Amino acid sequence: MTVNYMDAIRQRYERLGYTAYRWFVTDETPAWQKLSVPLDKARLGMLSTSGAYAVGQVAYHYKDDTSIRAIASDTASADLRFSHITENYLVDPRKDPNCILPIDTLRKLVSDGTIGSLADKVYSCMGGVYSQRRIRDETAPAILEQFRDQQIDCALLVAM
Amino acid sequence: MCLVARHLEANGIPTLCLGSARDIMTAGRPPRAAFVDYPLGHSAGKPFDRDDQLAVVKAALQGFNTLTQPGQMLTLPNRWDNDDWIADAGSNQGDDTRQPRDESPQFQLAADREAALATGAL
């Protein structure tokens, strides 16, 4: 049985008297870009929407924080931290960051030849932002610029 | 995440979204998606289970090879250890689980604030 989060959260907020969270809903077919190289030759970029930061960086705040963090991809997972408006989902990631920011996993997939290489930096942002406009205008272009700078061939996005 | 994926793809970068909320990914129609039926917070595998993490991420990445139509979603075969989490996760009862909306950085540990001050990031 698959959980229907949108219905459950909508009903919960309604019962508590809060305005409904507005998820992005579309009927429009997304753009499509073919891989230019096979996965085992590709340089992979990664974004986790978990609100991860590395020790030495600033944590996210909980009022529509649309900023991003660039995290060196050789960072030890023990040096990863999390701040996300829905902290209840962070219990396990705070013990083992690889649940939601697969940094050790991706390094292993490079060494076993599944992917060609991992970009020098991986990225995080914080999900649960209320303003779709600000995601479109701020977060998405910032990630695009960073991924271009990292010259990646494709990107894995891991949702909180 | 879906908005970001669609923006990246429209600008020439192939993307694959890995997530544990099938309905939210279905609604946002990212170019490629992989769904793993785990409690939220574990889209990249079970804690401290390196084999499971490797299996989940590796199977998801195969979507770059097997998904051929924009908006398709792969369902991964991995199962959580039990189904106890499902009733809670899908419940419309209980309190608001969000943290207060505040503009100060919410460091996980007090020492992280000191570290951010030391690097000049804060």
Side-chain angles (χ1 to χ4, degrees), chain A residues 125-137:
Chain A
C125 64
M126 189 186 76
V129 166
Y130 283 63
S131 170
Q132 294 178 15
R133 178 187 59 77
R134 290 192 58 202
I135 294 294
R136 281 196 181 89
D137 293 351

Side-chain angles (χ1 to χ4, degrees), chain A residues 4-6 11-13 15 26-28 33 53 56 60 62 82 85 92 96 99 130 155 157 159, chain B residues 9 14 16 18 23 27 29 32 42-44 48 50 53 92-94 98-99 101-102 106 108 112 119:
Chain A
N4 192 331
Y5 287 99
M6 291 163 76
Q11 289 163 11
R12 176 184 301 184
Y13 287 0
R15 187 173 49 76
T26 184
D27 288 330
E28 210 177 298
Q33 187 67 41
Y53 63 98
Y60 290 88
Y62 294 163
F82 296 89
I85 185 166
D92 283 335
D96 178 8
C99 297
Y130 283 63
L157 278 57
Chain B
E9 196 99 15
L16 190 141
L18 170 59
D23 59 332
R29 297 195 73 186
R32 294 173 202 75
H42 309 85
S43 308
F48 301 108
R50 299 295 176 236
Q53 293 168 359
N92 59 16
Q93 299 302 303
R98 295 165 296 179
Q99 296 297 309
R101 284 158 58 78
D102 184 292
Q106 302 293 312
Q108 180 179 327
D112 297 347
T119 60

